[in-house]
């Protein structure tokens, strides 16, 4: 099993990152470099979270070997300084953990992962962000725009790094070496990440348990969905209006720049980014007889076209995203309304108002029957969410307590350190890895979920169902790469595995050895890293009382609050919108059902009519009219059932008639010579056989003959069906 656990987790984390990225990104429409860069950033960050517990268990085993190989005096010194980390080896001999990683692998692994992620977050991803949002028409133009936009960005960080260099150079107790310079860079990056980490962690520690607790309240979820519907409809209308304005500008540019203008290729590139319906409306100006310089008109510059191209990309993406989100929100609202209706069901079977548009899998239909769905949605799911919310709340309390007390080593007050040290005494590596994984996984969920939830207007927004733009994907990769290293260092501090926090001379983990000794910057190692995380208490209190939400409401950004008049108005508006969409869909389904019933009822008659038309032979015109007249007349005068069948057949036949005779106008009911007369014989007198449409062999069509014979034999029905048959054909 040497290194097998590491290989399995590397493969598993890759597919996990790929699955999450597939939910938010669009592999078909977005650029491959954007997908690869984002996937690599997410993959490296998730890899650090999953591999770090293996590093901890391997470090504990190495400490055990070090204590066993040391002399008794050294062993007493070690046990005296850190008794939990080096227990008496006579009682518990050292044995390899199942996930043991050989020496030399972890330092190389962490070095590659860490420095690759830092290169992505500080150099490559910011450049790719500007490149993706650029409206340039060439690679050179996009690169130039990206360099100009990132000049201030890179200059700011160079200034900060220079300030650290000046501090180290001025301090006489420090000698500037490469390792120390590397440590300064790592400390600067971790300081920035820890500052943002505490803000996001304070929000997630409260919001995640509260969201699961509120998830058990059906009325709460339904009201919040109505609120989202009202806000999303406003955003959807704004996106449609913005798209219309941009398409109007594109239309003007398309009409002004002719086919032989030097900037015509740029216009064609813009048109390709427009929706299909707008492309069909505008088309392409191909007036080859009119040159662009024949008229002294003012043409847009290339710079203005670049700006227009950028606006087209943004508006089309926003419009597509709002349309998809609206459909998804409607499905959620309909489902929550179904849950509210089925809670009082006596049959205990879940009934949907609308059937799913996509057919469900047979496996799901068998194991997730309507009865099971009713018990889960109406009975078990609320209790499951409540229990899960309580468990998450307990984890949040443990994290807050440990963040405020992890600097205390005697006595050990951090609960994470207590759990790890208790398992370390018995060398229960499985328990150690599970405890470490659950702890760091919960911290990661609190931080990463906040990254997925926050929205900075329309510039950064991670929208599910493949609706996230390239800029937001790259920005999320930047945040993950900056937040994960300080998150892992904070976790090692909570468990007292970091010697900088525990102040004990023990073997550090491979991860902390890559970070270097923070003693180079004492005010950061002994001050900022220890006392700044205590601010999480204030942030948790602010999140619990929704201070941020109330401030946004005061600034005009409507947020969901139960005790607010604006929230009530938006809930009522959203409820009316959902009711309107529900009636619309019901009418559509009723129309489809009527059309389906009509096809099922009269489909056989249409098929039989088609077979009758194909069954007729092709004799000469004179023989056909003479021999079949009497037979057809007798056929149409047998019984009422036959007459009803012929009436349906007459209405369904779509053979066109060609009324081109001199005695017949466009409307046979309004012509003087063809006006209806009792007896019906006038029709045959005024309609010549040569005026009707003939088939390919020059013979009269069978359907036409049926109409003539029907009018002749059933004169009482002529007035009713003549106009219908002509209008239908």
């Amino acid at each position: 099993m040497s290194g097998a656990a590491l290989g399995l987790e590397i493969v598993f984390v890759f597919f996990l990152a790929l699955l999450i990225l597939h939910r938010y990104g669009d592999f078909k429409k977005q650029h491959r470099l954007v997908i690869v860069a984002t996937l690599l950033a997410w993959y490296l960050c998730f890899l650090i979270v999953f591999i770090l517990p293996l590093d901890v268990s391997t470090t504990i085993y190495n400490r055990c070997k070090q204590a066993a190989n040391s002399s008794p005096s050294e062993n007493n010194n070690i046990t005296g300084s850190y008794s939990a980390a080096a227990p008496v080896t006579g009682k518990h001999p050292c044995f390899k953990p199942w996930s043991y990683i050989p020496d030399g692998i972890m330092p190389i692994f962490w070095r590659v992962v860490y420095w690759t992620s830092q290169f992505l977050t500080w150099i490559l991803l910011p450049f790719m962000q500007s490149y993706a949002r650029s409206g340039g028409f060439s690679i050179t133009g996009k690169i130039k725009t990206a360099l100009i936009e990132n000049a201030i960005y890179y200059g700011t960080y160079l200034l900060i790094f220079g300030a650290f260099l000046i501090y180290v150079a001025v301090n006489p107790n420090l000698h500037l070496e490469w390792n120390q310079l590397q440590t300064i860079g790592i400390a600067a990056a971790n300081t920035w990440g820890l500052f943002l980490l505490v803000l996001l962690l304070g929000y997630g520690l409260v919001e995640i348990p509260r969201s699961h607790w509120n998830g058990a309240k059906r009325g709460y979820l339904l009201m919040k969905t109505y609120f989202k519907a009202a806000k999303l409809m406003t955003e959807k209308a704004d996106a449609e209006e913005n798209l219309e304005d941009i398409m109007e500008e594109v239309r003007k540019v398309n009409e002004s720049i002719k086919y032989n203008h030097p900037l015509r290729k740029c216009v064609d590139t813009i048109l390709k980014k427009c929706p299909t319906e707008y492309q069909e409306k505008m088309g392409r100006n191909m007036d080859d007889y009119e040159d662009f310089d024949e008229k002294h008109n003012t043409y847009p510059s290339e710079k203005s076209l670049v700006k227009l191209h950028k606006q087209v990309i943004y508006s089309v993406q926003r419009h597509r995203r709002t349309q998809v989100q609206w459909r998804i929100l409607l499905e959620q609202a309909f489902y929550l309304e179904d849950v509210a209706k089925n809670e009082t069901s006596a049959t205990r079977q879940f009934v949907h108002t609308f059937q799913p548009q996509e057919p469900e899998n047979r496996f799901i239909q068998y194991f997730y029957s309507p009865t099971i769905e009713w018990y889960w949605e109406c009975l078990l799911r609320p209790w499951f969410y409540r229990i899960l919310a309580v468990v998450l709340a307990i984890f949040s309390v443990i994290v807050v307590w440990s963040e405020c007390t992890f600097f205390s080593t005697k006595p050990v007050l951090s609960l994470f350190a207590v759990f790890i040290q208790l398992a370390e005494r018995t060398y229960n590596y499985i328990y150690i890895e599970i405890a470490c994984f659950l702890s760091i996984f919960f911290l990661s969920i609190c931080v990463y979920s906040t990254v997925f939830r926050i929205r900075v207007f329309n510039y950064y927004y991670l929208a599910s169902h493949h609706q996230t733009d390239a800029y937001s994907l790259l920005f999320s990769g930047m945040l993950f790469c900056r937040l994960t290293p300080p998150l892992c260092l904070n976790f090692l501090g909570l468990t007292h595995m970091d010697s900088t926090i525990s102040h004990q001379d023990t073997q550090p983990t491979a991860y902390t050895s890559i970070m270097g000794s923070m003693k180079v910057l004492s005010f950061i190692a002994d001050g900022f890293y220890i006392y700044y995380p205590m601010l999480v208490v204030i942030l948790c209190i602010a999140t619990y009382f929704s201070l941020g939400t109330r401030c946004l409401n005061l600034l005009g950004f409507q947020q969901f609050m139960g005790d607010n008049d604006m929230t009530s108005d938006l809930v009522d508006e959203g409820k009316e919108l959902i009711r309107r969409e529900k009636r619309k869909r019901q009418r559509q389904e009723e129309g489809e059902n009527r059309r389906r019933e009509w096809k099922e009822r009269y489909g056989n008659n249409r098929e039989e009519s088609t077979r009758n038309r194909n069954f007729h032979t092709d004799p000469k015109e004179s023989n056909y009219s003479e021999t079949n007249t009497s037979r057809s007349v007798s056929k149409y005068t047998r019984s009422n059932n036959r007459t009803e069948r012929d009436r349906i057949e007459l209405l369904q036949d779509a053979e066109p008639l060609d009324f081109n005779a001199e005695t017949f106008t466009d409307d046979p009911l309004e012509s003087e010579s063809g006006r209806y007369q009792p007896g019906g014989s006038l029709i045959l007198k005024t309609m010549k056989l040569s005026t009707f449409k003939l088939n390919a062999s020059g013979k009269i069509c069978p359907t036409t003959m049926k109409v003539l014979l029907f009018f002749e034999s059933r004169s009482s029905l002529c007035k009713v069906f003549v106009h219908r048959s002509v209008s239908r054909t």
Side-chain angles (χ1 to χ4, degrees), residues 580-594:
R580 188 184 308 167
E581 292 292 335
K582 192 173 185 178
R583 290 197 300 265
K584 181 179 178 181
R585 182 171 295 188
Q586 288 176 348
R587 289 194 298 268
Q588 291 177 354
E589 289 194 354
E590 290 175 358
E592 292 177 358
N593 293 333
R594 286 195 297 268

Side-chain angles (χ1 to χ4, degrees), residues 133-368:
R133 289 183 65 91
S134 175
F137 300 99
S138 62
I139 298 178
T140 306
K142 292 183 177 181
I143 293 176
K144 182 179 178 181
T145 303
L147 290 176
I148 294 174
E149 290 183 357
N150 286 275
I152 301 176
Y153 175 81
Y154 293 126
T156 303
Y157 290 109
L158 288 176
L159 181 63
I160 297 174
F161 186 72
F164 278 103
L165 290 179
I166 294 173
Y167 170 78
V168 174
V170 171
N171 194 343
N173 297 326
L174 298 176
H175 300 283
L176 187 60
E177 297 178 358
W178 171 251
N179 292 333
Q180 295 175 348
L181 184 64
Q182 177 180 337
T183 303
I184 292 174
I186 295 174
N190 290 336
T191 302
W192 190 97
L194 185 62
F195 176 80
L196 184 61
L197 174 67
V198 174
L199 298 178
L200 301 179
L201 185 62
Y203 177 82
L205 288 174
V206 176
E207 190 61 29
I208 290 179
R210 182 164 59 184
S211 63
H212 285 81
W213 181 266
N214 292 330
K217 304 176 183 178
R218 295 300 179 188
Y220 177 86
L221 288 179
L222 190 57
M223 298 288 283
K224 192 172 183 179
T225 304
Y226 291 152
F227 178 83
K228 290 180 179 179
K231 289 189 63 177
L232 186 58
M233 176 56 72
T234 304
E235 183 181 357
K236 179 171 170 287
D238 184 50
E240 293 175 353
E241 183 179 356
N242 185 27
L243 182 63
E244 290 287 346
D245 296 339
I246 298 299
M247 291 299 104
E248 181 63 22
E249 295 182 9
V250 174
R251 184 190 63 80
K252 294 179 181 178
V253 171
N254 182 46
E255 292 179 354
S256 62
I257 297 180
K258 303 301 179 180
Y259 74 101
N260 55 353
H261 195 279
L263 297 178
R264 183 63 205 184
K265 294 182 179 179
C266 300
V267 177
D268 293 339
T269 304
I270 295 176
L271 290 177
K272 292 179 181 178
K273 303 295 178 62
C274 299
T276 306
E277 57 270 17
Y278 289 99
Q279 293 183 21
E280 295 176 353
K281 290 180 181 179
M282 290 182 290
R284 183 174 180 178
N285 194 355
M286 296 296 293
D287 296 335
D288 53 355
Y289 59 86
E290 184 178 0
D291 293 333
F292 70 92
D293 55 351
E294 289 183 355
K295 296 181 180 180
H296 300 283
N297 296 329
T298 57
Y299 298 100
S301 61
E302 185 177 0
K303 186 176 180 180
S304 62
L305 291 180
V306 169
K307 183 179 179 181
L308 180 61
H309 187 203
K310 185 177 180 179
Q311 293 176 348
V312 168
I313 296 174
Y314 169 74
S315 60
V316 171
Q317 172 66 27
R318 184 187 175 193
H319 179 263
R320 185 186 303 115
R321 187 190 71 229
T322 53
Q323 295 291 333
V324 174
Q325 287 180 335
W326 177 251
R327 292 195 295 267
I328 296 172
L329 188 63
L330 288 179
E331 296 295 334
Q332 293 177 355
F334 295 156
Y335 189 77
L336 290 176
E337 290 180 346
D338 291 341
V339 171
K341 292 180 180 178
N342 284 274
E343 285 181 350
T344 58
S345 176
T347 59
R348 296 191 174 184
Q349 288 188 350
F350 199 91
V351 179
H352 294 269
T353 303
F354 303 106
Q355 296 298 326
Q357 298 179 357
E358 298 180 358
E360 295 181 355
N361 192 2
R362 293 182 179 179
F363 180 82
I364 298 177
Q365 291 180 354
Y366 179 77
F367 288 96
Y368 197 62

Side-chain angles (χ1 to χ4, degrees), residues 670-709:
E670 296 180 358
S671 60
E672 295 178 359
S673 59
R675 192 175 301 274
Y676 170 77
Q677 297 293 336
S681 60
L682 183 59
I683 297 178
L684 292 179
K685 294 179 181 179
T686 56
M687 294 182 182
K688 299 180 181 179
L689 292 177
S690 60
T691 63
F692 291 97
K693 184 177 180 180
L694 305 180
N695 55 18
S697 59
K699 310 301 188 299
I700 190 170
C701 298
T703 304
T704 304
M705 179 56 67
K706 290 181 181 180
V707 173
L708 294 175
L709 295 176

